[in-house]
């Protein structure tokens, strides 16, 4: 006898539930900003293991959860990998120009501080 298993589904806010203050909170941490900057330049979804953050695995998991629960990223399971992509369309529809402005400011800050692209 074979039992079917349902795919693992992660909770995400709907577009209508995304709030500006929550997005800004999610982007206020340097590690989360690093993830968002990487996703913004990626042409495909990236697995969590793609990111080499200088924090523990549990802290990395926390950062991804904050980004997901606040509507900044979409996470889906593909096999055993959790794939991540930026919710650019939703963010642009709700807050036109905000994401590009924040990404530009983050890049300018990285240049100013001499910390490369991270």
């Amino acid at each position: 006898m074979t039992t079917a298993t349902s795919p693992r589904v992660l909770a995400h806010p709907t577009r209508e539930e995304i709030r500006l203050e929550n997005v800004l909170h999610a982007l206020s941490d340097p590690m989360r900003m690093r993830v968002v900057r990487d996703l913004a330049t990626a042409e495909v979804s990236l697995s969590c293991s793609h990111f080499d953050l200088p924090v523990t695995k549990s802290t990395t998991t926390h950062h991804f959860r904050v980004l997901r629960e606040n509507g900044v990223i979409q996470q889906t399971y593909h096999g055993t990998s959790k794939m991540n992509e930026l919710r650019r369309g939703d963010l642009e529809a709700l807050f036109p120009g905000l994401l590009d402005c924040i990404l530009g400011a983050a890049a300018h800050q990285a240049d100013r501080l001499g910390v490369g692209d991270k």
Side-chain angles (χ1 to χ4, degrees):
M1 179 165 129
T2 305
T3 57
T5 59
S6 63
R8 295 180 286 178
V9 178
L10 298 162
H12 295 84
T14 64
R15 178 184 283 187
E16 295 75 27
E17 294 171 324
I18 297 173
R19 302 282 310 260
L20 177 61
E21 59 271 22
N22 295 343
V23 170
L24 294 174
H25 164 72
L27 297 176
S28 69
D29 182 90
M31 293 300 110
R32 294 192 291 264
M33 196 67 229
R34 178 188 279 192
V35 169
V36 169
R37 289 185 69 202
D38 283 355
L39 289 172
T41 60
E43 295 183 13
V44 296
S45 298
L46 300 175
S47 69
C48 291
S49 63
H50 167 84
F51 300 90
D52 184 24
L53 303 179
V55 295
T56 65
K57 185 176 179 181
S58 63
T59 300
T60 297
T61 299
H62 166 75
H63 287 313
F64 279 103
R65 182 175 51 79
V66 169
L67 289 168
R68 176 176 45 83
E69 289 179 350
N70 289 294
V72 178
I73 66 171
Q74 178 80 29
Q75 290 186 307
T76 54
Y77 279 102
H78 293 278
T80 58
S81 295
K82 196 183 294 183
M83 304 304 290
N84 304 278
E85 62 184 89
L86 198 54
R87 290 181 68 174
R88 185 180 286 279
D90 289 335
L91 294 172
E92 185 62 25
L94 293 167
F95 317 111
L98 177 69
L99 185 60
D100 288 335
C101 183
I102 289 173
L103 290 168
H108 177 72
Q109 175 174 278
D111 290 344
R112 183 174 55 85
L113 298 176
V115 293
D117 64 353
K118 299 291 180 193

